[in-house]
Amino acid sequence: MRLQVLGTAAGGGVPQWNCACPGCAGARAHPAWLRRHASLAVQLPGRVAVVNATPDIAAQVEDCPWLPPDRDRAPLVVLTDAELDHTLGLLRLREAASLDVAATLPVRQALRPFEEILRPYAPIRWHPMDTVAEPIPVSAKRPRYAAAATEEADGAWVSALRFTDGRSNVVYAPAMGVWTPELDAAFRDADCVIIDGTFWDDEEPRRTGISSRTATGMGHLPIEDTMERLAVLPGRCLYTHLNNTNPLVDPDALHRKVLAELGVEVAADGMVIEL
């Protein structure tokens, strides 16, 4: 199996257009700090899947050599959730003849407005998630625009995805609110684990003034709570989905040394992982 990291930033990217925090200011001054929205290309036998359709998807497809231009077919998109930062790119793909999208039922239902908008351009053909990847529920957090949704999701609003080619296993979880026994088992069986690194510590959102909630209150386990658990896993482990307030945005941050000593990595935009 082959992976290409298409982006590693949380909502808004790095820099965010309306932010002058140290991370965003650093990204404006140093191109090496720039990060596109978190996404992953997965090369499987006979197909390539793109995890999440971000606002950067056009540039991300251009940068992936396994995704050659095709007027009729857009890449298969697999959605971890229905958040705008992971779905707005579907509208950007409207030039295709149709769109193939795999998602859990609550995500599909939340995206009905997108389905209607796209119908005259590129109708969505929905696929069961388990035909592409194994979804593992990691949060019941629904997008704010779907707060009034009545569907019972049983925690399936946000999923980690387990991909396998019969030889190698990968678990991708850019948003993760809980570390469940099911997820732990998948991690221990994986050759590569790429997970939520949105915030370094639980108080980061409140300390930086971006939210009145903690990281866990926003549906993201902080790195401080997961890094030692990653360190004992047998596979390669990397963090993605970094918020602009996360000190790891700085390539020289001392926090990176802490992770390096544990044998845990920070994913970089464009990196290729061969398994």
Side-chain angles (χ1 to χ4, degrees), residues 236-249:
R236 184 176 180 182
C237 297
L238 306 94
Y239 282 111
T240 190
H241 203 265
L242 274 61
N243 199 58
N244 56 306
T245 57
N246 192 319
L248 293 177
V249 168

Side-chain angles (χ1 to χ4, degrees), residues 9 16 19 29 39-40 51 97 99 144 156 172 208 226 251:
Q16 285 191 15
C19 183
S39 181
L40 184 73
V51 183
L99 298 178
R144 278 184 275 177
Y172 184 68
T208 57
T226 60

Side-chain angles (χ1 to χ4, degrees), residues 3 11 28-30 49 65 68 75 78 81 86 100 103 105 142 156 158 184 199 223 243 259-260:
L3 316 172
R28 293 187 180 99
H30 307 289
V78 189
D81 52 67
H86 295 160
D100 292 293
L105 181 59
R142 62 185 68 190
V158 185
D184 188 67
F199 301 112
I223 290 173
N243 199 58
L259 294 181

Side-chain angles (χ1 to χ4, degrees), residues 200 223 227-228 231 237-239 248 251 253-266:
W200 179 264
I223 290 173
M227 59 184 179
E228 292 185 357
C237 297
L238 306 94
Y239 282 111
L248 293 177
L254 293 177
H255 302 70
R256 286 177 174 259
K257 182 179 180 181
V258 174
L259 294 181
E261 290 174 348
L262 291 171
V264 180
E265 303 173 60
V266 179

